[in-house]
Amino acid sequence: MDLKERAKNLKTDIPALLLALKDKDTPAAAKLLAAVTVAYALSPVDLIPDFIPVLGYLDDLILLPALIAATVKLIPKEVMEKCRAQSEGMWPDGKPKRWYYGIPIVLIWAAVIFLIVKVIFF
């Protein structure tokens, strides 16, 4: 499988993971990791903002594919195949138009900033 095909699979696996979250045959650990993966993938806010040189894009190139791969491994093969089939054409432009997917990442950054301020000023 070449790099271009893997990138395409990553794009189609995100809606499939969202569907796997709702599937009763998906194990609890896989649901938890799928929730984190989908929230991160759909979040308009990155854990490491893209304006930070090199590191800003590395999280998109390394972290997201690693999360997707780990999540897919935890989901039973037949469940993942069913979810992939159901997700075809689910999001024609690649992402849904939802703003609230960014909330978990914003909360993580708020906690990091709070801890930094607490260490510096208290």
Side-chain angles (χ1 to χ4, degrees):
M1 186 181 301
D2 67 343
L3 190 59
K4 198 175 204 179
E5 191 174 327
R6 283 184 180 195
K8 184 181 177 201
N9 285 347
L10 291 177
K11 202 172 191 179
T12 58
D13 278 348
I14 295 168
L17 291 178
L18 183 63
L19 294 174
L21 272 169
K22 301 173 185 177
D23 195 298
K24 63 177 176 53
D25 295 326
T26 302
K31 285 185 178 188
L32 178 64
L33 191 55
V36 169
T37 302
V38 169
Y40 185 75
L42 299 180
S43 172
V45 181
D46 284 344
L47 193 58
I48 303 171
D50 289 342
F51 65 82
I52 297 175
V54 181
L55 293 177
Y57 290 106
L58 279 180
D59 72 328
D60 293 334
L61 294 173
I62 296 171
L63 184 60
L64 187 58
L67 282 171
I68 292 171
T71 306
V72 169
K73 284 185 179 187
L74 292 176
I75 298 172
K77 188 174 182 132
E78 57 277 353
V79 172
M80 195 62 199
E81 287 174 4
K82 179 178 70 170
C83 293
R84 281 182 177 137
Q86 290 174 348
S87 70
E88 286 186 30
M90 192 168 147
W91 300 328
D93 62 350
K95 288 188 177 185
K97 304 284 189 245
R98 306 274 189 224
W99 60 269
Y100 51 81
Y101 289 113
I103 292 174
I105 303 303
V106 170
L107 291 175
I108 289 170
W109 272 110
V112 167
I113 291 169
F114 172 76
L115 291 173
I116 290 171
V117 168
K118 185 177 176 184
V119 167
I120 292 173
F121 294 110
F122 298 106

